[in-house]
């Protein structure tokens, strides 16, 4: 295609827009209908916006599709690629001792030609293993040498070409106990330390990660991961990062995402958002797409806010190459581009959080309301929350205020910055939740003291 990256993007999106017009849906139309932003962000590729913030932005890819528009977008917009399936054990060694590196090699070559990193995915997992491995009966000594050889062979083959490996994938159950797998059952918990150690030996330059899902917010599973990483570091086992997969549901970005990223960073490891997608019940409509834009924006902003959050990767950049419809029945439209390669509002949500220039219309408060409630109350304290919800309008930022009538005093707030002067309280959005989409809402919480009585004040939205 054309020689410079940005001109190639422009012609790509022009073509995408033509296709979109023919099918009757324009991405710009969806944006304006949702009261959001205009399409200028497309002029600067996401990879350039990310680079200016010191971040890497990636996408999972399918090797056979890396031509035409798919290849143009993958090459122009992203500076990291993750093979969606090509490096899994079942793909590379379908028959014991017979290897197929075709797709993995192709993706690595494409990445090198486009000045992109590669995230290797994945070495020790319970899914997508070859049947000869899962159906075999192995002693633990045999299992150990199978895994060691697999890691040595695959990591060794790509030595020096992979920025980071998801060495261990999905080791935990939801309650934070270890998942019962071939590896855990056969080798005990130290299969994790062994896998990391073997990977380090095979490519000392690659960053080594443990990757899992439902570990985006602070919860039992992410705390188990946290404790594992902490103990591995204390033991001197090579561990460089944690991957938060982030297969999310519309409107359900965990409110503790940034806090969770930060606590891993504070342990001295990097964090990557490795498989971001945000699924919605089909069919998509402009309200859902606007909420999705706000969700993509808040996830991206949480990564931008923490220095050690180094990479944000979407699990497929187009709805035509997403695992969601085939896996979560009735759900789809989970990625930043539609099936015709037109950028969706979600694309602009990412671009905005990366500092992309967009034109925001004057905020309207017409259809937005703020509702105050007491969530729990004890002796001298209580937890309250305020929900800001919009319908038929949207907000690009928000501020609420109220006056306490009975001496209540706020001590701490989350998901907003609150100040109290005398009886007057004023709370403003955090950096990651300023947008409230048409049909969407944002909630923040706080702790406060009370005595005598605790009446609910009247809240004004400014
Ligand atoms: C998915 C792929 O996207 C699908 O094509 C495949 O059929 C199943 O696996 N967590 C992971 C990824 O770590 O490897 C999975 O990828 C999605 C969930």
């Amino acid at each position: 295609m054309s020689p410079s990256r940005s001109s190639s993007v422009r012609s790509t999106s022009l073509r995408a827009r033509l296709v979109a017009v023919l099918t009757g849906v324009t991405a710009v139309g969806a944006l304006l209908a949702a009261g959001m932003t205009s399409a200028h962000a497309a002029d600067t590729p996401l990879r350039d916006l990310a680079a200016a913030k010191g971040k890497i932005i990636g996408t999972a890819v399918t090797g056979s599709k890396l031509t035409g528009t798919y290849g143009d977008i993958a090459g122009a917009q992203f500076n990291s690629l993750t093979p969606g399936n090509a490096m899994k054990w079942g793909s590379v060694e379908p028959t014991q001792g017979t290897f197929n590196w075709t797709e993995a090699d192709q993706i690595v070559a494409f990445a090198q030609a486009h000045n992109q990193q590669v995230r290797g995915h994945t070495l020790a997992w319970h899914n997508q293993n070859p049947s000869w491995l899962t159906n075999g009966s192995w002693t633990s000594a045999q299992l150990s040498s199978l895994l060691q050889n697999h890691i040595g062979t695959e990591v060794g083959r790509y030595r020096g070409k992979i920025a980071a490996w998801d060495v261990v994938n999905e080791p935990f159950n939801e309650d934070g106990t270890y998942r019962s797998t071939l590896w855990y059952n056969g080798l005990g918990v130290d299969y994790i330390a062994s896998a990391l150690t073997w990977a380090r030996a095979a490519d000392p330059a690659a960053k080594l990660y443990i990757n899992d899902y439902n570990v985006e917010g602070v919860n039992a599973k992410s705390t188990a991961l946290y404790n594992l990483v902490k103990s591995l570091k204390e033991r001197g086992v090579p561990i460089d990062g944690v991957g938060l997969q982030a297969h999310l549901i519309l409107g359900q970005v965990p409110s503790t995402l940034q806090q969770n990223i930060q606590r891993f960073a504070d342990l001295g490891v990097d964090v990557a958002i490795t498989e971001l997608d945000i699924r919605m019940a089909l069919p998509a409509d402009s309200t859902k797409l606007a909420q999705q834009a706000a969700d993509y924006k808040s996830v991206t902003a949480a990564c931008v806010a923490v220095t050690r959050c180094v990479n944000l990767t979407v699990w497929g950049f187009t709805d035509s190459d997403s695992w969601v419809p085939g896996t979560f029945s009735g759900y789809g439209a989970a990625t930043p581009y539609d099936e015709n390669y037109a950028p969706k509002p979600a694309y602009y949500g990412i671009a905005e959080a990366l500092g992309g220039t967009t034109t925001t219309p004057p905020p309207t408060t017409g259809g937005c309301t703020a509702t105050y409630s007491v969530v729990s109350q004890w002796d001298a304290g209580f937890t309250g929350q305020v929900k800001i919800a919009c319908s038929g309008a949207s907000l690009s930022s928000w501020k609420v205020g109220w006056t306490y009538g009975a001496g209540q005093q706020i001590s701490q707030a989350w998901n907003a910055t609150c100040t109290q002067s005398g009886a007057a309280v004023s709370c403003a959005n955090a950096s990651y939740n300023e947008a409230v989409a048409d049909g969407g809402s944002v909630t923040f919480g706080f702790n406060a003291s009370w005595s005598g009585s605790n009446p609910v004040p009247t809240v004004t939205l400014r």
Side-chain angles (χ1 to χ4, degrees), residues 121-440:
H121 177 81
T122 177
L123 299 167
W125 193 24
H126 59 280
N127 278 335
Q128 293 181 276
N129 286 322
S131 53
W132 63 261
L133 176 65
T134 48
N135 296 339
S137 65
W138 314 101
T139 65
S140 71
Q142 286 172 321
L143 266 186
S144 177
S145 69
L146 281 166
L147 185 58
Q148 179 170 13
N149 286 336
H150 171 61
I151 291 174
T153 302
E154 182 154 7
V155 177
R157 178 182 182 86
Y158 296 109
R159 183 183 172 110
K161 298 178 176 172
I162 304 288
W165 271 104
D166 290 331
V167 177
V168 176
N169 201 29
E170 304 180 347
F172 289 108
N173 294 316
E174 296 306 290
D175 65 359
T177 56
Y178 284 102
R179 187 191 287 271
S180 156
T181 68
L182 182 65
W183 310 118
Y184 181 75
N185 298 341
L187 303 174
V189 65
D190 262 354
Y191 86 88
I192 296 173
S194 299
L196 289 161
T197 305
W198 294 326
R200 176 67 96 232
D203 185 353
K207 300 287 186 196
L208 306 181
Y209 279 66
I210 301 173
N211 189 50
D212 215 325
Y213 64 92
N214 287 351
V215 292
E216 294 75 31
V218 174
N219 58 36
K221 193 174 184 179
S222 66
T223 299
L225 177 59
Y226 178 91
N227 290 331
L228 170 63
V229 170
K230 185 163 184 284
S231 89
L232 291 171
K233 286 203 68 99
E234 282 162 4
R235 289 165 58 194
V237 175
I239 173 74
D240 303 305
V242 299
L244 316 180
Q245 291 186 7
H247 295 292
L248 302 176
I249 300 171
L250 189 72
Q252 296 185 28
V253 177
S255 60
T256 50
L257 174 61
Q258 187 181 322
Q259 178 194 335
N260 192 43
I261 294 173
Q262 186 68 56
R263 73 170 170 160
F264 282 104
D266 292 345
L267 270 185
V269 292
D270 290 340
V271 177
I273 302 207
T274 52
E275 305 184 14
L276 177 61
D277 51 28
I278 303 180
R279 61 186 181 266
M280 61 183 70
L282 294 173
D285 61 31
S286 65
T287 303
K288 292 178 191 174
L289 292 173
Q291 177 65 47
Q292 187 182 48
D295 291 348
Y296 266 97
K297 185 174 181 178
S298 72
V299 172
T300 307
C303 184
V304 167
V306 181
T307 309
R308 287 202 82 143
C309 185
V310 294
N311 180 311
L312 182 142
T313 288
V314 294
W315 203 244
F317 64 85
T318 160
D319 291 340
S320 65
D321 186 40
S322 168
W323 73 311
V324 166
T327 308
F328 304 96
S329 169
Y331 284 80
T335 79
Y337 285 80
D338 74 13
E339 292 177 348
N340 299 314
Y341 302 124
K344 292 157 60 182
Y347 172 93
Y348 300 98
I350 298 172
E352 282 179 29
L354 293 174
T357 332
T358 55
T359 313
T360 309
T364 123
T365 51
C368 299
T369 53
T371 314
Y372 177 110
S373 54
V374 174
V375 178
S376 67
Q377 184 168 307
W378 57 96
D379 272 349
F382 71 100
T383 297
Q385 71 172 30
V386 174
K387 179 176 184 175
I388 298 142
C390 294
S391 174
S394 64
L395 294 169
S396 56
S397 67
W398 48 266
K399 207 177 218 186
V400 296
W402 63 86
T403 304
Y404 274 132
Q408 298 99 319
Q409 176 70 46
I410 289 194
S411 56
Q412 184 199 6
W414 48 95
N415 300 328
T417 306
C418 294
T419 53
Q420 182 168 355
S421 163
V425 176
S426 175
C427 298
N429 60 264
S431 59
Y432 52 85
N433 65 2
E434 77 250 66
V436 186
D438 183 2

